[in-house]
Amino acid sequence: MKTTPRSFFHVFVEPNLEDYLAEPDDARRGFNACLSAFQLADIFYAFYERENPAMVAQWPNKEKLLRHLCSLEPSFLTIQSVATVYKHLYAIKGFYEVGTPGALWGVKIPGEDIEIETDFQGDDKGDVLVRRRDGSVVSLTTALRRVVVEMWPTFLPIEDD
C-alpha cells in the first residue's frame, strides 16, 4: 500500500495534532505537529504529480501550491514558518532566528534559555505562542487547528479505499 496524501494525513498529521493538544504548552509536540502538517503539502504535490498530474496542473511548481494554501488559510504560513524553523534551527544572540517565508523572531522551547512565550490563562491549558517578524503573536494551537482540522480535510481529495 502506497502512502497517499489522505493516508499521510490520518497516520501522521492528525495524531501529531492530538499529541500536541494533549500538552499544548509543549513546543516539541507543537513543532512535530507543524512539521507533518506542512510536509503534507510536499506529499500532496509529489503524489499527484506522479499519479494524477491533472490534480496539480493549476500549480506549475510546489511554491505556487504553498502560496495557494496560504491564500486558503493564512495560518498555513505560521505552520510553514514553524516547520522551517524546526528543520533549520541555529542560535543567534540567545534566541533562534531563521529567514523563513513568514520569518519568526522566536518560539517557545521549554527548558531552553531563549525567547519563551507560554500563555497560561488560569485554566491550566497552555499554548505555544509564536512572535512573528511584524511583532504579532500567533497561537500555535489556533494555527494548527485551522490548518489540520479545517483546511486539510476540505482541501484533500477523497481517495478510493
Side-chain angles (χ1 to χ4, degrees):
M1 178 178 197
K2 62 180 136 183
T3 300
T4 67
R6 202 161 273 277
S7 70
F8 184 86
F9 177 76
H10 291 305
V11 172
F12 294 102
V13 178
E14 287 179 317
N16 281 339
L17 175 62
E18 290 171 14
D19 287 349
Y20 171 65
L21 293 177
E23 292 188 43
D25 62 331
D26 185 335
R28 179 190 56 80
R29 290 176 186 228
F31 273 44
N32 285 338
C34 289
L35 191 60
S36 63
F38 174 66
Q39 184 68 24
L40 183 51
D42 290 345
I43 300 290
F44 173 88
Y45 197 82
F47 179 84
Y48 285 111
E49 189 174 45
R50 183 181 63 246
E51 300 292 328
N52 185 354
M55 291 290 292
V56 293
Q58 63 184 310
W59 308 290
N61 56 49
K62 191 175 62 175
E63 181 181 324
K64 300 276 187 200
L65 170 63
L66 296 176
R67 287 184 186 162
H68 177 73
L69 293 172
C70 288
S71 73
L72 289 178
E73 176 48 68
S75 292
F76 185 75
L77 184 59
T78 298
I79 302 309
Q80 180 179 1
S81 294
V82 172
T84 302
V85 164
Y86 193 29
K87 294 190 309 186
H88 304 288
L89 282 174
Y90 64 94
I92 296 178
K93 297 181 185 174
F95 62 94
Y96 294 102
E97 176 180 310
V98 179
T100 66
L104 305 170
W105 287 111
V107 294
K108 177 211 176 293
I109 300 181
E112 297 291 335
D113 186 24
I114 64 169
E115 184 173 332
I116 296 176
E117 295 188 33
T118 305
D119 182 30
F120 286 98
Q121 302 186 11
D123 57 5
D124 294 328
K125 295 193 184 222
D127 195 357
V128 174
L129 300 178
V130 179
R131 183 161 43 99
R132 302 187 64 79
R133 178 184 297 168
D134 66 4
S136 64
V137 176
V138 179
S139 159
L140 193 59
T141 302
T142 300
L144 278 165
R145 283 189 172 136
R146 286 181 179 156
V147 170
V148 175
V149 176
E150 297 172 22
M151 185 195 81
W152 277 126
T154 59
F155 180 80
L156 293 173
I158 301 300
E159 298 171 358
D160 296 331
D161 292 332

